[in-house]
Amino acid sequence: MQRVGFITSYSMWMTGPSLINSKAVYRITYLQRLRYQRVCCINQHHSKHNGPQQAFHNNNCLRIICGWMGVFTPAVIRTQSRYYVTQTSDDDFDDSGIISDSEFDIDGLDRDRTLSKDQFDLLRVNLYQNSNDPIVKTISQANSLQEVFDTIDKCRDFLTAEQSSQAIVTLWDLQKVYGRYGLDYSSVTNFQLNTLLEKILNHPTFEKLLKHLENVCEDLNNTAISCMLLYLNKIGLRTDAPLMQKLSVLCLERLNNFNLNSLSRLTVYLRDQGIKAYFLQSKLLPIVADKLRTCSTLEELHLITICLNSTKKIITESLINEYRKFVEKNLEAGNFETCDPKVILKIIKLLNYSKWSSKHYFLCRQLMLCLVNRMPSLGIWQVIDLSNYFQNFLEPREIFTKIQQYSVSQIEVSKNSITGPELLYLAPFGSLNRKKYFEELVAEQLDNAEFYDYIGVIFKTLRYIKTSNTKLCNAFWTKSMKAVEREIDQTTNFQLGFEEILRRKVYHRYMYFNNNLGGTYRNYHMEKNMSSLLLKDIRSPTGLVPNKLASMSAFLISYDSREGLPEDIVEKIIQYGSQFTSFDVLNLSRGVQITLALNPKNTRRRLMEQITAICRMLDTCAEEQLKTAKSLIDVTTITRAYLSRHGSPRTFLFDKLVHAHLPFLHELNSRLLRDICYFFYTTKHLAPQILDALAQYVVDNQEYILVDTIERLLSCLYTLGHYPATGQQFFSACTNSLSKDAHQLSGLNILQLCLGLNMYGQLSSKLIHNIFNLSFLDKLDEEISGCYSKATYPARVRHMLMELNRAVCIDHPEEKIPWFHEKYCEELLETVAVPNSVFHTEVHQALSQLVGGPDVLRANVKTPYYYLLDFEFLLDEENQPVPVKEYISPREKSNTSDYCHIENKAGYRRMAVLLHKESSYCINSRQLMGRHQVERRHLEMLGYTVIEVPHFMWYSMAHATFSDKMEYLKNILYSQTS
């Protein structure tokens, strides 16, 4: 008993100095995993009111497993997601990333086939394979829980340590098989699984087994000790039980003699124990580091990876760097080409940990490439894991292509069989032509008994297919909220903030859903109920946790702030400002963004004062966080948050955010590249050094980059009118990528990419004719008919097609593409308001005095191909204005469709005056935006002499008086002749 008491008095100073991140412990809170239902949440106490038969026959699910396994018959494999579903960091809020119930499960079993006896045996864990003890053999081969208990009862008080430990392992194996592979046409729910575990835990024979094991646990070998800790914890035995305490002390005493297998099991157990496991973790990490230095096989590397994955919150940079070097060494030697894929996936998972993922991106990419040619041999869950890792970086392209092919094949196979929710994970890699198929699949899963577990993947699917089926969306959100509340009611977990963790599965995702339906979708019933629940939580002790306060407040700001938030909530948000992380700031900024978008005309003073105060606090947080930013991900997160709350790109803070990108540009990957493009595209901020670095990255990594990533960069460059330093190399990469993977782009994206290429003179004849043919136009019609936002998407496509049609007709007349947007442009012009700004009026007045009245000066003129000129007039060879009636051709007057260029006599100049407002230039530069550069070039090609009058010049200090403005205008009009 004295030894047991010692386990609770571990001191923090007994940590490994070089391998343990001592600072990390202060950030670790004792919040158990979302996998609480693994048994940690069931009633963990011993009751003695039920006998063995009553305990196992009062519950239907127990009768199923006892009967089925007692006389073993094959069963159709059915997945039970709670233990085996992997989510990305976007979808769950626990970064442990547990893939399965045990790190030692046998992978690769086909879940759509019958489970054979041999496959069942593969799932067993036999601690004593060479044992001659007949009791151990009987227990290890038991096919039912009752058979195990009967064997134990027969032995009575003569159980050995080997027999007791093997019984524990077998009990867990049988439960695992039951949960993972239910009976034919039956659905084994998590409630049934938890009930089963509770019955095991409270069974008198099990209690006797625990008591005996406590007396003989010192006779266990190291492997058995680690197994006992792991499996007893999974079954639900409390960690402060005497047996668990004694096993922990034995681990501490024998730790130096643990092999990798035992260490890996021990770390898997400890990762569920929160901060109280810190001491043992700190003691075993130096041992793992020593094992790493002597590691010689990939199987040993696999076990070391499991250890590090389970302790990654406290390991230091030096240890992860040592691990990385060993992985690189094996990669260079080609050892990963033929190794088990699960080893590679575990390594990628570790290297993807947010704390250091930015430094290991290129290594992850090379590891993923090792799986390119092995995709057919991967199981569906391995492909799902791989797809999750791919989405963190959006590279390499080969993986995307292979997962696409895998997705297509799985969908084809599923047509003639019962489909499961696993296919929804592959939806982002499927064709949008299958939108109806995925809608039907989602509708089927709404009635799934395990719907709660698939909220995240269904959400992703609905976002990807951008469905306009509001009934389906309403059903999804309503069922999601009910499923979460039912989950809360059915559990007995009382840890701080547990309810908020589960509700976040719904309310956080909802904040990122409605704008995907064009900003039109709302589920008011869900918003009202969720706001009421969160308001209650935020005023409870849960609201004292900064992360939870930020998340809940973001939802309230978004959907419950029309009249203003309660003052105590606003005060609390501002008070906690200094404790918010960059992701907390991002959440709150998202809330501000949504409420401003949903209430654009809200002039209520109380609300606007609250939003202003919160934004000021968030700006202060951003400045402080920027000082400690350690990666490009940190900087992009802070920048996205700033822009989400409608921060002005003209502020000093935004300039600091832009410059903060520069030291981390070596960490670029496709996802970060797209984020940065989004920043500059939306703000119209010109940062040549960063844009050139993005273009250089594309040139250097073009074989790994998706075509839609290249399209986003090119569209950003086109918008800002920036010519990249890499020049022809970059445009060649764009052209090559489009020629190979055009099928991966939507019609609108293809039009945008071609328009950008045309601006830089890189649009080839082949691309032109691939666009302007009936097949592509039919594709556009099909997209428009099935698009999610009928109010905006068709108009965007039509206008983009018109601009490309005009550009090709002017820049490439040799291709003989017809101009077929005459009627569209005429209709469009009817919606354009006549300019009546002060700027336009003043320039008109000055031109009238310099050139003449309406007889020679025309205002608001349309050109061939329907560019709009602010003013137009003609000068003869002596710079004298020519009357309008003398130079307007009959074709111009009649607006005939063959009016495609203007005719000037020798020495005459047709002057086109363009007024450029502030919006025509980059926000921080006097560089003309790309579309205005193209307009200028096209007008010159049509025969005009273009005169541009910038807003900033017209209203500069040098032109303060009207006479100054007249002199300035005279100089630019007659500068060529002078």
Side-chain angles (χ1 to χ4, degrees):
M1 295 302 296
Q2 188 175 7
R3 290 171 57 195
V4 174
F6 171 73
I7 197 74
T8 62
S9 61
Y10 291 152
S11 57
M12 296 297 294
W13 58 267
M14 297 177 68
T15 59
S18 62
L19 301 171
I20 312 300
N21 186 349
S22 58
K23 293 182 179 179
V25 71
Y26 300 109
R27 299 192 295 271
I28 301 174
T29 58
Y30 181 44
L31 296 177
Q32 287 190 311
R33 304 179 179 283
L34 290 180
R35 279 76 174 178
Y36 68 95
Q37 53 276 39
R38 286 191 177 184
V39 300
C40 297
C41 302
I42 66 175
N43 296 325
Q44 299 179 341
H45 63 276
H46 300 288
S47 62
K48 300 183 179 180
H49 61 277
N50 287 334
Q53 298 303 318
Q54 183 180 2
F56 275 86
H57 293 284
N58 284 345
N59 185 275
N60 183 54
C61 73
L62 300 181
R63 289 198 299 272
I64 294 173
I65 186 171
C66 291
W68 170 50
M69 291 186 175
V71 180
F72 188 84
T73 56
V76 173
I77 298 174
R78 282 187 173 276
T79 181
Q80 293 304 315
S81 63
R82 185 65 53 87
Y83 301 148
Y84 305 97
V85 174
T86 299
Q87 303 271 345
T88 60
S89 57
D90 272 346
D91 287 336
D92 63 25
F93 305 93
D94 165 34
D95 59 5
S96 60
I98 298 175
I99 291 180
S100 69
D101 228 7
S102 167
E103 298 289 355
F104 309 96
D105 284 339
I106 303 298
D107 294 326
L109 294 179
D110 188 344
R111 297 164 192 251
D112 295 324
R113 297 181 182 273
T114 300
L115 182 64
S116 69
K117 181 68 165 62
D118 292 337
Q119 289 174 324
F120 173 58
D121 289 339
L122 286 174
L123 294 174
R124 296 179 183 270
V125 176
N126 193 340
L127 286 179
Y128 309 102
Q129 294 182 1
N130 299 320
S131 175
N132 295 320
D133 188 337
I135 301 300
V136 171
K137 290 183 178 180
T138 300
I139 293 174
S140 65
Q141 296 173 5
N143 289 326
S144 72
L145 302 176
Q146 193 60 54
E147 187 177 341
V148 175
F149 286 127
D150 288 343
T151 305
I152 294 171
D153 286 334
K154 290 178 183 178
C155 295
R156 298 187 178 180
D157 298 327
F158 301 102
L159 281 172
T160 65
E162 289 186 359
Q163 295 165 354
S164 301
S165 56
Q166 184 60 55
I168 297 293
V169 173
T170 301
L171 287 173
W172 176 251
D173 283 344
L174 292 174
Q175 178 279 150
K176 178 174 61 180
V177 174
Y178 169 62
R180 192 170 185 179
Y181 306 103
L183 294 183
D184 194 6
Y185 303 116
S186 67
S187 178
V188 183
T189 66
N190 292 298
F191 178 75
Q192 289 174 316
L193 288 174
N194 290 340
T195 302
L196 170 64
L197 291 169
E198 186 175 359
K199 295 295 184 181
I200 295 174
L201 192 63
N202 294 331
H203 195 283
T205 304
F206 185 77
E207 292 181 357
K208 182 178 73 172
L209 181 63
L210 294 179
K211 188 65 177 177
H212 178 77
L213 191 57
E214 183 181 345
N215 295 329
V216 298
C217 63
E218 293 184 359
D219 296 333
L220 295 172
N221 61 33
N222 296 339
T223 299
I225 289 175
S226 61
C227 281
M228 290 304 95
L229 278 171
L230 177 61
Y231 295 132
L232 285 172
N233 178 249
K234 288 179 180 294
I235 290 174
L237 188 63
R238 294 178 62 92
T239 55
D240 58 356
L243 174 58
M244 299 295 280
Q245 295 281 358
K246 291 186 73 173
L247 290 171
S248 298
V249 172
L250 286 173
C251 278
L252 183 62
E253 292 175 350
R254 301 185 188 181
L255 202 55
N256 290 329
N257 297 321
F258 270 32
N259 60 24
L260 274 175
N261 216 315
S262 300
L263 285 171
S264 57
R265 279 190 171 93
L266 179 59
T267 58
V268 172
Y269 159 70
L270 291 175
R271 72 184 177 190
D272 283 328
Q273 307 310 311
I275 197 171
K276 63 184 180 182
Y278 176 72
F279 176 77
L280 266 178
Q281 289 176 328
S282 68
K283 289 300 177 184
L284 65 83
L285 267 181
I287 301 172
V288 174
D290 289 338
K291 300 286 186 184
L292 176 62
R293 297 184 186 103
T294 59
C295 179
S296 59
T297 67
L298 289 181
E299 183 56 35
E300 290 178 332
L301 177 61
H302 182 215
L303 295 173
I304 289 172
T305 305
I306 292 172
C307 294
L308 296 181
N309 260 312
S310 301
T311 56
K312 57 181 175 286
K313 290 185 178 180
I314 62 171
I315 63 179
T316 58
E317 187 176 354
S318 61
L319 179 55
I320 198 65
N321 285 339
E322 192 173 346
Y323 174 84
R324 172 182 53 79
K325 291 176 182 177
F326 185 78
V327 172
E328 289 174 341
K329 179 181 177 181
N330 278 272
L331 187 63
E332 292 174 0
N335 295 335
F336 291 117
E337 296 297 330
T338 56
C339 80
D340 191 331
K342 70 180 180 183
V343 178
I344 299 177
L345 291 172
K346 282 284 196 301
I347 294 171
I348 295 173
K349 173 186 171 183
L350 176 60
L351 295 176
N352 259 312
Y353 183 50
S354 58
K355 183 179 177 181
W356 50 66
S357 62
S358 59
K359 298 180 180 179
H360 302 127
Y361 152 65
F362 291 104
L363 179 56
C364 288
R365 186 171 73 183
Q366 293 304 115
L367 289 169
M368 283 191 278
L369 287 172
C370 293
L371 298 172
V372 168
N373 297 324
R374 303 169 64 187
M375 193 69 67
S377 65
L378 300 182
I380 187 169
W381 290 98
Q382 290 179 322
V383 174
I384 288 169
D385 291 336
L386 184 59
S387 70
N388 288 333
Y389 300 142
F390 167 83
Q391 289 174 5
N392 287 338
F393 306 114
L394 297 178
E395 294 179 27
R397 181 175 60 86
E398 291 90 338
I399 287 292
F400 178 82
T401 303
K402 292 295 183 179
I403 298 178
Q404 266 193 327
Q405 295 171 358
Y406 184 93
S407 175
V408 171
S409 66
Q410 289 295 315
I411 291 172
E412 291 299 322
V413 169
S414 71
K415 288 181 178 179
N416 300 319
S417 62
I418 300 175
T419 57
E422 295 87 359
L423 286 176
L424 291 176
Y425 283 92
L426 302 176
F429 300 92
S431 170
L432 283 175
N433 294 332
R434 297 187 179 273
K435 178 186 290 190
K436 282 293 182 184
Y437 171 81
F438 285 115
E439 286 185 359
E440 293 171 359
L441 193 57
V442 167
E444 290 177 9
Q445 299 311 314
L446 294 182
D447 296 323
N448 190 326
E450 297 299 316
F451 170 77
Y452 171 84
D453 298 299
Y454 290 97
I455 290 175
V457 67
I458 294 175
F459 164 78
K460 274 190 173 182
T461 302
L462 291 175
R463 283 193 83 199
Y464 173 72
I465 63 177
K466 294 182 172 63
T467 179
S468 54
N469 186 342
T470 54
K471 290 184 178 179
L472 182 63
C473 296
N474 287 336
F476 167 68
W477 288 113
T478 301
K479 285 180 176 289
S480 295
M481 186 167 181
K482 289 181 179 178
V484 167
E485 295 307 313
R486 184 167 56 250
E487 197 77 13
I488 292 173
D489 293 339
Q490 290 179 354
T491 60
T492 58
N493 188 303
F494 300 108
Q495 72 178 42
L496 179 65
F498 173 74
E499 294 89 347
E500 187 276 334
I501 290 176
L502 299 188
R503 289 181 181 133
R504 198 186 296 191
K505 289 172 70 80
V506 176
Y507 78 76
H508 183 79
R509 291 188 175 96
Y510 183 79
M511 292 174 62
Y512 285 86
F513 183 79
N514 57 3
N515 67 318
N516 275 69
L517 295 174
T520 59
Y521 177 78
R522 299 282 299 277
N523 190 317
Y524 294 98
H525 178 71
M526 194 278 283
E527 291 174 12
K528 182 179 179 181
N529 288 346
M530 186 62 76
S531 295
S532 177
L533 292 169
L534 294 182
L535 193 59
K536 182 180 178 181
D537 283 345
I538 211 171
R539 285 174 169 151
S540 72
T542 301
L544 299 176
V545 182
N547 171 265
K548 298 182 183 300
L549 173 64
S551 295
M552 293 187 290
S553 300
F555 188 88
L556 295 176
I557 292 171
S558 300
Y559 305 109
D560 196 44
S561 61
R562 187 174 181 84
E563 303 296 329
L565 292 172
E567 290 299 334
D568 61 316
I569 303 299
V570 177
E571 291 177 5
K572 201 171 187 178
I573 295 171
I574 295 175
Q575 180 184 357
Y576 276 58
S578 60
Q579 301 181 58
F580 290 147
T581 66
S582 58
F583 290 101
D584 297 334
V585 172
L586 180 60
N587 283 335
L588 286 167
S589 300
R590 175 64 176 164
V592 172
Q593 181 184 26
I594 292 174
T595 193
L596 293 176
L598 297 181
N599 306 291
K601 297 181 180 180
N602 194 327
T603 57
R604 296 183 183 276
R605 182 175 180 179
R606 181 187 178 198
L607 174 62
M608 298 314 297
E609 286 179 347
Q610 290 178 345
I611 295 298
T612 301
I614 291 173
C615 286
R616 286 175 179 169
M617 179 272 295
L618 295 177
D619 284 346
T620 302
C621 291
E623 289 197 67
E624 292 302 314
Q625 291 163 0
L626 203 57
K627 296 176 183 177
T628 58
K630 296 180 180 179
S631 69
L632 189 57
I633 294 177
D634 292 341
V635 176
T636 55
T637 300
I638 298 169
T639 307
R640 179 176 289 276
Y642 176 81
L643 295 177
S644 293
R645 57 183 181 268
H646 286 195
S648 170
R650 292 183 181 275
T651 64
F652 177 68
L653 176 55
F654 186 74
D655 288 337
K656 291 174 66 175
L657 287 168
V658 171
H659 285 93
H661 286 75
L662 294 174
F664 302 108
L665 289 178
H666 63 281
E667 298 177 4
L668 269 174
N669 59 56
S670 285
R671 180 168 288 283
L672 294 175
L673 184 148
R674 290 163 77 144
D675 286 343
I676 295 171
C677 287
Y678 168 80
F679 300 155
F680 297 138
Y681 178 85
T682 55
T683 61
K684 308 301 184 287
H685 190 284
L686 181 65
Q689 188 174 353
I690 296 178
L691 293 174
D692 287 342
L694 301 184
Q696 185 64 55
Y697 180 81
V698 170
V699 171
D700 295 339
N701 300 275
Q702 55 185 291
E703 61 184 303
Y704 306 115
I705 300 178
L706 296 177
V707 64
D708 61 337
T709 302
I710 293 178
E711 182 273 322
R712 294 196 186 195
L713 176 55
L714 185 59
S715 294
C716 179
L717 295 173
Y718 167 79
T719 298
L720 299 174
H722 178 70
Y723 190 93
T726 50
Q728 187 59 45
Q729 290 178 302
F730 171 72
F731 299 124
S732 296
C734 296
T735 304
N736 293 337
S737 183
L738 181 59
S739 62
K740 293 178 182 177
D741 300 319
H743 62 280
Q744 296 178 2
L745 292 175
S746 68
L748 179 62
N749 293 140
I750 292 175
L751 294 176
Q752 290 176 162
L753 197 152
C754 289
L755 198 60
L757 288 173
N758 184 76
M759 171 183 168
Y760 298 105
Q762 303 296 322
L763 188 60
S764 66
S765 176
K766 182 179 179 180
L767 282 176
I768 291 173
H769 289 282
N770 285 342
I771 297 297
F772 294 99
N773 62 59
L774 293 179
S775 176
F776 182 79
L777 296 179
D778 287 342
K779 175 184 177 180
L780 291 181
D781 289 337
E782 184 179 347
E783 282 187 11
I784 289 174
S785 64
C787 70
Y788 69 98
S789 181
K790 296 291 194 298
T792 58
Y793 190 79
R796 290 176 62 197
V797 171
R798 187 69 187 273
H799 192 78
M800 194 66 66
L801 182 62
M802 182 276 292
E803 289 193 349
L804 186 60
N805 185 202
R806 175 168 61 191
V808 169
C809 289
I810 297 175
D811 288 320
H812 305 277
E814 69 282 359
E815 302 299 336
K816 299 181 180 179
I817 300 298
W819 167 245
F820 54 91
H821 282 87
E822 189 86 17
K823 183 178 179 181
Y824 168 78
C825 290
E826 286 289 350
E827 294 173 352
L828 188 63
L829 282 180
E830 294 177 3
T831 65
V832 177
V834 176
N836 60 353
S837 64
V838 175
F839 183 28
H840 189 276
T841 301
E842 289 182 355
V843 175
H844 192 183
Q845 182 181 356
L847 280 174
S848 297
Q849 294 187 25
L850 284 174
V851 178
D855 292 340
V856 296
L857 181 66
R858 302 171 70 197
N860 306 319
V861 182
K862 66 179 179 182
T863 72
Y865 301 106
Y866 289 86
Y867 279 116
L868 291 180
L869 306 180
D870 292 290
F871 304 102
E872 179 197 53
F873 59 93
L874 183 68
L875 295 178
D876 61 18
E877 63 273 12
E878 296 179 357
N879 282 337
Q880 296 300 314
V882 178
V884 173
K885 61 182 180 180
E886 294 185 12
Y887 69 84
I888 296 297
S889 66
R891 288 184 298 174
E892 290 184 62
K893 293 178 181 179
S894 62
N895 294 322
T896 57
S897 59
D898 61 342
Y899 169 48
C900 296
H901 65 280
I902 61 172
E903 298 176 358
N904 290 325
K905 296 180 181 179
Y908 282 56
R909 291 181 298 149
R910 188 92 163 248
M911 311 296 290
V913 181
L914 303 179
L915 307 186
H916 289 315
K917 302 178 181 178
E918 286 183 299
S919 59
S920 301
Y921 296 87
C922 296
I923 199 76
N924 63 322
S925 169
R926 293 182 177 178
Q927 177 162 298
L928 201 60
M929 304 286 280
R931 65 186 183 90
H932 294 295
Q933 293 183 27
V934 171
E935 178 185 24
R936 178 176 59 195
R937 186 182 75 200
H938 284 173
L939 290 175
E940 291 173 346
M941 293 177 69
L942 291 174
Y944 289 95
T945 299
V946 180
I947 303 298
E948 296 171 307
V949 183
H951 183 276
F952 59 83
M953 289 297 293
W954 188 257
Y955 288 105
S956 65
M957 293 294 293
H959 309 135
T961 65
F962 186 74
S963 60
D964 294 333
K965 290 179 169 57
M966 287 283 292
E967 186 65 25
Y968 164 73
L969 198 56
K970 181 178 179 181
N971 288 337
I972 61 175
L973 285 179
Y974 300 107
S975 59
Q976 293 183 359
T977 304
S978 305

